[in-house]
């Protein structure tokens, strides 16, 4: 799948999660590798977002640059 499609799929998964919908998480993709950026409230939230991105169909890898604030 194209990088644009992967970003769309990943954003849809994140938006569907009520615990994440209020967070401003930036999602980018290059050659099948999703990059996550932004601030999250806890380490468990950071890991949860990483898990969702990793489970997005077609994603090869995830670069998690989310910061816990």
């Amino acid at each position: 799948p194209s990088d644009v499609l992967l970003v769309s799929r990943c954003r849809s998964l994140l938006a569907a999660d009520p615990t994440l919908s209020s967070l401003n998480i930036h999602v980018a993709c290059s050659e099948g590798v999703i990059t996550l950026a932004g601030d999250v409230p806890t380490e468990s939230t950071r890991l949860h977002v990483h898990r969702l991105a990793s489970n997005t169909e077609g994603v090869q890898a995830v670069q998690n640059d989310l910061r816990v604030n």
Side-chain angles (χ1 to χ4, degrees):
S2 72
D3 289 339
V4 172
L5 180 58
L6 292 178
V7 166
S8 178
R9 285 178 180 170
C10 187
R11 284 183 180 155
S12 292
L13 283 176
L14 297 179
D17 188 314
T19 65
L20 304 175
S21 59
S22 67
L23 301 177
N24 186 15
I25 298 171
H26 177 74
V27 180
C29 188
S30 177
E31 298 181 11
V33 178
I34 291 283
T35 300
L36 303 168
D39 295 322
V40 294
T42 65
E43 181 64 19
S44 65
T45 302
R46 182 179 178 278
L47 295 174
H48 179 60
V49 172
H50 185 105
R51 228 177 350 268
L52 286 176
S54 295
N55 290 331
T56 302
E57 183 183 340
V59 169
Q60 303 296 317
V62 175
Q63 172 66 44
N64 190 341
D65 293 334
L66 293 170
R67 293 177 308 243
V68 176
N69 257 349

